[in-house]
């Protein structure tokens, strides 16, 4: 089910809300939605728990990759690669033939490696810039950022001429400082991305039906144990998605 509400009709409509956020209905056993939101995944090799991971995290990741024009052969850096959106970015970018460099912690390195990375950089290293440069010696075509914060300033110079920086999160801090000249003198693009469009979501459904992605379910909880699930989520020790089961 596509959980987004849009500002208008059309394949490129902008999302303005989300079921379970701006509209009630996220933590329920049943929900009534317009039939246009429902998509057939009967033939998908993914199980129900994996399919439950798709609408928000993978939809957001698909929107980022599409808006940034990520294609086969691109070298893309993914920040926060162990989180829901970050993990999805790695899988979806890898599925389209991009070379993926992921930033994560040493504790989560092995699990992130399973998602299809070409190189992993430990965010606890003292010189991340040098580590990334070694992993991508020809530079980065794009950065898919869900962290923000102080990483923005020192990562920006690693982008190639006409490189793309697409951002959909700010868990590391929403206020950043950077030199504007590094944007316009190198013809770099800075792209904001909020969730997905209807056409992005259809592409995600195709990926699921073809089995080109394998969402990682970190842990499942019954709906009656939702507070335990939220505690696990807030602890940020998991890799992938926490899934709520209806019973």
């Amino acid at each position: 089910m596509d959980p987004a509400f849009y500002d208008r009709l059309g394949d490129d409509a902008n999302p303005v809300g989300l079921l379970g956020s701006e509209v009630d209905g996220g933590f329920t056993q049943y929900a009534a939605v317009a039939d246009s939101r429902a998509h057939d995944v009967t033939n998908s090799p993914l199980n129900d728990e994996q399919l439950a991971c798709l609408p928000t995290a993978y939809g957001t990741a698909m929107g980022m990759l599409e808006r940034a024009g990520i294609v086969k052969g691109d070298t893309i850096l993914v920040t926060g690669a162990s989180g829901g959106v970050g993990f999805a970015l790695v899988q979806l970018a890898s599925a389209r033939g991009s070379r993926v460099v992921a930033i994560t912690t040493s504790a989560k390195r092995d699990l992130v490696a399973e998602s299809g990375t070409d190189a992993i950089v430990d965010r606890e290293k003292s010189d991340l810039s040098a580590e990334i440069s070694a992993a991508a010696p020809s530079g980065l075509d794009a950065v898919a950022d869900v962290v923000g914060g102080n990483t923005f300033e020192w990562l920006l110079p690693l982008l190639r001429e006409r490189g793309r920086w697409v951002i959909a999160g700010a868990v590391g801090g929403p206020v950043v400082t950077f030199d504007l000249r590094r944007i316009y003198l190198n013809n770099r693009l800075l792209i904001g991305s909020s969730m997905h469009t209807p056409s992005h979501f259809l592409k995600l459904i195709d990926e699921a039906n073809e089995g080109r992605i394998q969402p990682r379910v970190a842990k499942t909880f019954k709906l009656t144990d939702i507070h335990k699930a939220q505690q696990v989520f807030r602890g940020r020790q998991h890799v992938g998605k926490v899934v709520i089961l209806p019973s």
Side-chain angles (χ1 to χ4, degrees):
M1 183 195 68
D2 184 351
F5 292 90
Y6 299 101
D7 61 351
R8 62 183 186 280
L9 298 176
D11 291 342
D12 62 345
N14 297 307
V16 293
L18 191 70
L19 184 67
S21 179
E22 285 71 28
V23 177
D24 290 343
F27 296 139
T28 58
Q29 289 180 307
Y30 301 95
V33 299
D35 59 359
S36 59
R37 291 179 175 274
H39 298 275
D40 186 4
V41 290
T42 305
N43 296 321
S44 173
L46 305 181
N47 61 37
D48 287 351
E49 288 80 8
Q50 289 176 308
L51 290 167
C53 298
L54 298 180
T56 306
Y58 280 76
T60 297
M62 180 64 81
M64 294 174 74
L65 297 178
E66 287 294 304
R67 291 185 177 107
I70 305 302
V71 297
K72 181 179 180 179
D74 278 345
T75 297
I76 177 174
L77 177 74
V78 176
T79 66
S82 64
V85 177
F87 199 84
L89 280 165
V90 173
Q91 287 199 335
L92 288 168
S94 179
R96 62 179 62 192
S98 302
R99 183 174 185 274
V100 182
V101 180
I103 299 178
T104 188
T105 62
S106 57
K108 299 177 180 179
R109 182 186 186 96
D110 291 343
L111 291 176
V112 172
E114 297 174 4
S115 63
T117 57
D118 294 277
I120 294 180
V121 175
D122 186 346
R123 83 168 185 220
E124 296 158 339
K125 293 287 185 180
S126 58
D127 193 347
L128 272 177
S129 180
E131 294 283 332
I132 294 168
S133 295
S138 298
L140 300 168
D141 295 297
V143 172
D145 189 12
V146 293
V147 175
N150 61 10
T151 60
F152 194 99
E153 184 175 9
W154 59 263
L155 268 179
L156 189 59
L158 302 183
L159 272 181
R160 293 175 181 166
E161 185 85 14
R162 296 186 61 80
R164 295 93 76 199
W165 188 299
V166 58
I167 187 163
V171 296
V175 179
V176 300
T177 301
F178 65 96
D179 188 338
L180 282 172
R181 293 169 295 183
R182 293 195 180 277
I183 297 288
Y184 67 79
L185 290 178
N186 296 100
N187 298 298
R188 295 175 174 127
L189 299 178
L190 183 58
I191 305 163
S193 183
S194 176
M195 296 194 295
H196 54 265
T197 67
S199 63
H200 297 161
F201 198 80
L202 287 175
K203 290 185 177 183
L204 178 60
I205 295 300
D206 287 341
E207 296 289 315
N209 282 330
E210 294 297 324
R212 288 189 287 264
I213 52 175
Q214 289 290 320
R216 185 177 192 279
V217 178
K219 201 163 186 179
T220 61
F221 291 87
K222 294 181 179 179
L223 182 58
T224 51
D225 291 327
I226 191 169
H227 295 302
K228 293 180 181 178
Q230 291 170 330
Q231 290 170 356
V232 168
F233 178 79
R234 292 183 64 184
R236 298 174 64 178
Q237 299 301 308
H238 61 286
V239 175
K241 295 293 290 180
V242 175
V243 175
I244 305 296
L245 305 177
S247 61

